[in-house]
């Protein structure tokens, strides 16, 4: 009897403490978002005419197929509630706010809540060079940048928890926002190809893949008549030259190598320093980083700082468990991540873990050589 009387106040106190923590996190997120929004408006000014092209849905490719932000901003602007620029700034700020909660959600599948909270502060700091530093031209604001990292963070959280249905619901919006959403199906495959039952893996992977492919094909069809900003019908060529050749030439300057490391949020250095502390789940996701970096070499300007935002978010989630282990803090892995490979796939899983990066490098080199042997600009 006495025990039941004393337990009620303790339960009530626990609930109050939880509510207090929740409100502190919300207020903290709002403060960080406000600071970020002010920085964006002061430093990352959109190039003249950029937002107007998005609002009129006549931006060149590949920007034209990034339809989500213009579709969200159009009713706000058309109703005269906000100017076009204010509408896009609001979407940008809300995207960053969603990113903060999303990165905590992803990190809580790997580390305890206090470490996840610290991670939600550290990863935006890792992003700062990628957003606010540029190599050869002013820093750029695009209206889909912050929503893109929010989708990546939430999608990675769903993938780590093996929530295929939630990922399938998220992917159409993420894909219509930016084509880099393809990183989420890649992460899903790397996490679960050998640990789900074969039939379940094929079914869920097909659903996740279609959730990306169908919206992407629809966006490309709707914007098929838009001009290509690269000056070529092939997105691997810009102004008559292979983009990858320009990127390799840029890295030939040692100073640019140091700058590139900063644009990457110093992740390469952190990966080398913390590699021995990485758990198996983090090592499974490292090929996602290699995949995106290889794609950027072929079809992106690697001196354009803002293209690394999604890359840094994924890297931050990968590195968080290693930081926790290095600091002698416990991990808090989602139970699904402890599953063993299916019977008969243990050796294949070990092979992929050991040689995946080398195989991706060989594949990228083969594509590079093939392009130069079979095609001319």
């Amino acid at each position: 009897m006495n025990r039941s009387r004393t337990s009620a106040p303790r339960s009530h106190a626990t609930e109050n403490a939880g509510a207090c923590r929740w409100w502190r996190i919300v207020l903290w997120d709002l403060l960080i978002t406000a600071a970020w929004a002010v920085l964006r408006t002061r430093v990352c000014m959109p190039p003249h005419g950029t937002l107007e092209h998005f609002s009129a849905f006549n931006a060149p490719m590949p920007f034209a197929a990034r339809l989500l932000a213009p579709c969200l901003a159009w009713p706000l602007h058309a109703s005269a509630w906000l100017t076009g620029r204010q509408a896009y700034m609001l979407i940008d700020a809300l995207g960053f706010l969603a990113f903060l909660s999303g990165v905590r959600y992803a990190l809580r599948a790997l580390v305890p809540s206090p470490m996840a909270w610290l991670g939600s502060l550290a990863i935006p700091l890792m992003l700062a060079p990628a957003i606010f530093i540029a190599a050869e031209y002013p820093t750029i604001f695009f209206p889909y940048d912050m929503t893109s990292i929010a989708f990546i963070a939430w999608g990675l959280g769903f993938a780590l928890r093996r929530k295929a249905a939630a990922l399938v619901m998220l992917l159409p919006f993420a894909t219509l926002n930016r084509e880099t959403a393809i990183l989420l199906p890649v992460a899903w495959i790397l996490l679960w190809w050998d640990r789900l039952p074969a039939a379940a893996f094929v079914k869920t992977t097909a659903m996740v893949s279609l959730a990306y492919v169908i919206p992407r094909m629809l966006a490309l069809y709707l914007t098929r008549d838009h001009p290509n900003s690269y000056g070529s019908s092939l997105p691997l060529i810009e102004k008559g030259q292979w983009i990858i050749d320009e990127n390799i030439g840029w890295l030939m300057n040692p100073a640019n190598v140091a700058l590139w490391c900063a644009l990457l949020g110093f992740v390469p250095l952190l990966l080398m320093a913390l590699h021995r502390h990485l758990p198996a789940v983090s090592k499974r996701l490292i090929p996602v980083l290699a995949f995106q970096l290889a794609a950027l070499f072929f079809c992106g300007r690697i001196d354009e700082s803002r293209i690394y935002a999604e890359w840094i978010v994924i890297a931050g989630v990968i590195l968080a468990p290693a930081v926790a282990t290095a600091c002698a803090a416990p991990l808090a892995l989602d139970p699904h991540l402890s599953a063993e490979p299916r019977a008969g796939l243990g050796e294949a899983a070990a092979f992929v873990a050991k040689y995946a990066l080398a195989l991706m490098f060989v594949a990228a080199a083969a594509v590079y050589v093939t392009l130069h042997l079979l095609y001319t600009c």
Side-chain angles (χ1 to χ4, degrees):
M1 194 73 180
N2 291 336
R3 188 176 299 173
S4 63
R5 287 177 181 175
T6 57
S7 63
R10 289 179 182 176
S11 176
H12 185 64
T14 302
E15 291 177 3
N16 286 341
C20 183
R21 285 195 297 268
W22 184 79
W23 278 107
R24 285 204 301 266
I25 290 173
V26 170
L27 291 174
W28 187 252
D29 283 358
L30 291 174
L31 177 61
I32 295 176
T33 301
W36 187 269
V38 171
L39 280 173
R40 295 281 278 179
T41 57
R42 300 290 178 85
V43 179
C44 298
M45 299 300 291
H48 181 71
T50 300
L51 299 184
E52 289 76 10
H53 281 301
F54 277 109
S55 296
F57 295 94
N58 62 3
M61 293 294 288
F63 312 103
R66 299 162 187 173
L67 294 169
L68 183 65
C71 288
L72 293 175
W74 180 81
L76 298 174
H77 175 50
S79 62
W81 291 348
L82 300 171
T83 65
R85 186 172 184 274
Q86 289 172 340
Y88 284 117
M89 290 295 179
L90 176 61
I91 292 169
D92 184 86
L94 292 176
F96 186 78
L97 183 62
F99 158 68
L100 291 176
S101 59
V103 78
R104 274 197 303 271
Y105 178 73
L107 289 173
R108 282 201 300 269
L110 302 170
V111 296
S113 292
M115 290 291 295
W117 181 78
L118 288 173
S120 69
L121 301 180
I123 292 177
L125 292 177
M126 293 168 64
L127 280 171
I131 300 298
F132 298 114
I133 296 177
E136 295 181 358
Y137 32 74
T139 47
I140 296 173
F141 169 96
F142 280 118
Y144 46 76
D145 285 338
M146 294 300 103
T147 47
S148 181
I149 61 172
F151 283 126
I152 290 293
W154 279 100
L156 200 54
F158 292 146
L160 288 167
R161 289 171 172 80
R162 213 174 74 184
K163 293 186 175 182
L167 186 57
V168 167
M169 293 176 64
L170 176 89
L171 267 168
F173 299 100
T175 305
L176 291 174
N177 184 71
R178 196 176 185 187
E179 63 275 11
T180 48
I182 195 175
L183 299 174
L184 296 176
V186 173
W188 174 268
I189 292 170
L190 289 171
L191 283 169
W192 304 113
W193 70 273
D194 61 331
R195 294 194 283 190
L196 281 176
F201 173 72
V202 171
K203 178 182 176 181
T204 54
T205 301
M207 293 170 55
V208 168
S209 300
L210 289 173
Y212 174 83
V213 170
I214 293 175
R216 181 62 180 161
M217 293 298 102
L218 177 62
L220 291 175
Y221 175 77
L222 293 175
T223 57
R224 63 191 182 279
D225 296 327
H226 289 240
N228 195 313
S229 62
Y230 291 110
S232 165
S233 59
L234 190 65
L236 307 180
I237 298 173
E238 184 178 20
K239 298 177 181 177
Q241 184 176 1
W242 293 109
I243 293 175
I244 188 171
D245 288 339
E246 295 186 22
N247 289 331
I248 292 174
W250 186 78
L251 280 179
M252 291 297 101
N253 184 340
N256 289 341
V257 175
L259 175 61
W260 193 48
C261 187
L263 299 183
L264 291 171
F266 299 100
V267 167
L269 299 178
L270 294 172
L271 278 172
M272 288 189 290
L274 297 169
H275 187 269
R276 66 188 181 93
H277 298 294
L278 288 172
V281 60
S282 292
K283 292 178 180 178
R284 278 177 176 262
L285 289 173
I286 287 178
V288 179
L289 300 179
F291 171 79
Q292 185 184 8
L293 214 54
L296 291 175
F297 261 88
F298 279 97
C299 59
R301 293 290 302 272
I302 64 169
D303 58 344
E304 185 180 355
S305 53
R306 48 167 293 282
I307 65 176
Y308 300 111
E310 297 99 333
W311 194 88
I312 292 171
V313 171
I314 296 172
V317 173
I318 289 173
L319 286 168
V323 173
T325 302
C327 296
L331 299 183
L333 298 180
D334 186 270
H336 294 105
L337 296 173
S338 301
E340 295 294 328
R342 295 198 310 271
L345 290 182
E347 292 185 4
F351 178 86
V352 170
K354 187 174 183 179
Y355 297 108
L357 290 178
L359 291 173
M360 291 183 70
F361 176 81
V362 170
V367 172
Y368 177 78
V369 172
T370 301
L371 287 176
H372 283 75
L373 287 178
L374 300 182
Y375 300 96
T376 57
C377 293

